[in-house]
């Protein structure tokens, strides 16, 4: 898994190519960037029965929230 240093490096490189982005970090949460500042979001504890499509669900929910006017935080 990525360490905090890896995520910082990946985020710095992503800023060169994207105006905004989100990086999932498994049980740690996620790091998103809204074009001005990075936003760390903590995960919640859950008993996952099936983790198939988890990344797709994250992306769907994240994009829906942004499109609906919510902030990246």
């Amino acid at each position: 898994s990525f360490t905090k240093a890896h995520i910082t490096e990946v985020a710095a490189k992503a800023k060169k190519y994207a105006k905004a982005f989100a990086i999932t970090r498994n049980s740690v949460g996620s790091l998103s960037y809204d074009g001005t500042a990075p936003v760390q979001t903590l995960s919640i504890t859950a008993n996952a029965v099936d983790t198939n499509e988890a990344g797709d669900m994250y992306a769907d929910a994240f994009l829906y929230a942004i499109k609906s006017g919510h902030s990246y935080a």
Side-chain angles (χ1 to χ4, degrees), residues 32 34 39-41 62 66 70-73:
S32 56
D34 65 2
V39 177
Q40 295 279 344
T41 304
F62 183 83
I66 296 302
H70 295 277
S71 72
Y72 281 54

Side-chain angles (χ1 to χ4, degrees), residues 7-56:
I7 293 300
T8 302
E9 182 180 330
V10 169
K13 289 181 180 181
K15 287 178 188 178
K16 295 177 183 178
Y17 302 100
K19 293 179 183 178
F21 57 84
I23 303 170
T24 59
R25 300 182 62 204
N26 298 323
S27 64
V28 178
S30 66
L31 170 71
S32 56
Y33 179 70
D34 65 2
T36 58
V39 177
Q40 295 279 344
T41 304
L42 299 176
S43 64
I44 59 169
T45 302
N47 288 329
V49 176
D50 184 356
T51 59
N52 285 333
E53 309 291 330
D56 293 336

